[in-house]
Amino acid sequence: MLNLSQNLYSEDHSFKEAALEIQENTGDILGSDAISGIEIRLSHVIIKDNRTPKIFPFPGLAKVYFVNLVVSDVENQSIALDLKSFEKVDDGDSLSIDKTLFFWKKETDNKAPSQIHIMSSIIKSKQGLRDVAEVMSKLNDDADYKNLTSNIVSLLKTAGSVVNISNAILTASSILGKYLGNVEDKPLLTWFQSFTDIDGDYDKEGKTVKQAENKYAAMNLSITIRDKDRQIASE
């Protein structure tokens, strides 16, 4: 089984006010219920060192999988796992990944998420790339994967700890190794990122860009937070 906890970058983030504003009536800290929109995007996925030596006549190109899993406590939202494959990846190459991972917009009755968890991993393959659609089909039918995803949903509903949720997510993603075949034990980079309403450290309205990086790879996540009330008040 893949061990995605190796070469792991992990961080927490908060939806609450950096200034820890206190509401007049309740004395509570403003939380995610005060915001009107959230978007999280992934971009700038770069392979710095593909761990493939260039020995003539071999050009040192690598075959790479990119795995992404997103979960949140938004009502009736399913766990989203995405798998992409890339051939002939060289040192310094940028993978063609620029996408919205999560989007939420306030409507009349919908409740803002109190937690969103994202796991992204770049995995180097030692053999020919597998058919991604076939791999995903087998994964979705896997009993262990079904049990773990059910456990993740339960943890979200009961506000389980970030540590327990991250462990379950990493294990669920690692089951992919059964269907990917012979892949490296150490992914080039795995990033586990939590956005929660537990702490009040550094959340702010607008766009915030974060980066995970090691000597093998780097990638960016950006979170954009909109709040109509704060926006009107500042105008």
Side-chain angles (χ1 to χ4, degrees):
M1 183 178 290
L2 283 171
N3 183 3
L4 296 181
S5 63
Q6 298 185 32
N7 285 330
L8 175 66
Y9 181 92
S10 181
E11 183 178 279
D12 293 336
H13 186 82
S14 171
F15 287 137
K16 292 186 178 178
E17 289 281 277
L20 300 183
E21 279 188 63
I22 305 299
Q23 293 181 6
E24 293 182 359
N25 296 330
T26 64
D28 199 6
I29 301 170
L30 283 174
S32 59
D33 57 342
I35 61 182
S36 56
I38 305 170
E39 182 182 30
I40 302 174
R41 293 189 64 87
L42 175 72
S43 61
H44 297 98
V45 182
I46 298 172
I47 307 300
K48 298 164 62 178
D49 178 358
N50 67 12
R51 301 182 67 180
T52 305
K54 292 176 170 59
I55 303 174
F56 184 82
F58 303 104
L61 303 180
K63 295 177 285 290
V64 169
Y65 291 106
F66 189 86
V67 183
N68 201 81
L69 188 148
V70 182
V71 300
S72 78
D73 61 354
V74 172
E75 188 175 358
N76 298 324
Q77 187 165 97
S78 60
I79 293 174
L81 190 148
D82 185 43
L83 174 67
K84 295 185 181 298
S85 60
F86 300 87
E87 291 191 280
K88 299 180 179 180
V89 178
D90 200 357
D91 295 344
D93 279 357
S94 176
L95 303 185
S96 56
I97 299 174
D98 188 349
K99 60 182 297 185
T100 296
L101 300 181
F102 180 88
F103 180 83
W104 176 86
K105 185 177 180 180
K106 187 173 182 63
E107 305 292 348
T108 304
D109 298 321
N110 66 342
K111 182 180 178 182
S114 63
Q115 52 182 319
I116 305 168
H117 306 281
I118 295 172
M119 192 286 304
S120 300
S121 185
I122 304 168
I123 305 166
K124 176 186 168 184
S125 176
K126 285 187 174 180
Q127 67 175 28
L129 294 172
R130 301 286 297 275
D131 184 298
V132 169
E134 180 183 355
V135 169
M136 292 302 297
S137 176
K138 291 181 178 179
L139 178 69
N140 289 325
D141 289 335
D142 186 277
D144 291 335
Y145 179 74
K146 288 181 179 179
N147 289 335
L148 276 166
T149 54
S150 177
N151 182 42
I152 292 170
V153 171
S154 296
L155 288 170
L156 290 169
K157 288 181 178 179
T158 57
S161 74
V162 171
V163 172
N164 290 338
I165 293 172
S166 66
N167 288 339
I169 288 174
L170 289 170
T171 302
S173 302
S174 294
I175 295 174
L176 271 172
K178 292 197 300 186
Y179 306 108
L180 291 178
N182 185 20
V183 294
E184 283 198 346
D185 293 333
K186 295 182 179 180
L188 300 180
L189 174 64
T190 296
W191 187 359
F192 181 82
Q193 176 73 50
S194 289
F195 300 92
T196 74
D197 65 357
I198 300 300
D199 298 317
D201 295 330
Y202 48 84
D203 183 55
K204 61 182 180 181
E205 187 184 11
K207 185 175 182 179
T208 300
V209 179
K210 298 177 173 293
Q211 182 181 62
E213 182 176 10
N214 61 15
K215 62 182 179 180
Y216 304 118
M219 59 181 106
N220 287 358
L221 273 180
S222 65
I223 178 168
T224 301
I225 296 178
R226 299 299 182 198
D227 182 342
K228 290 182 180 179
D229 293 337
R230 279 185 289 173
Q231 184 176 344
I232 293 172
S234 63
E235 292 177 349

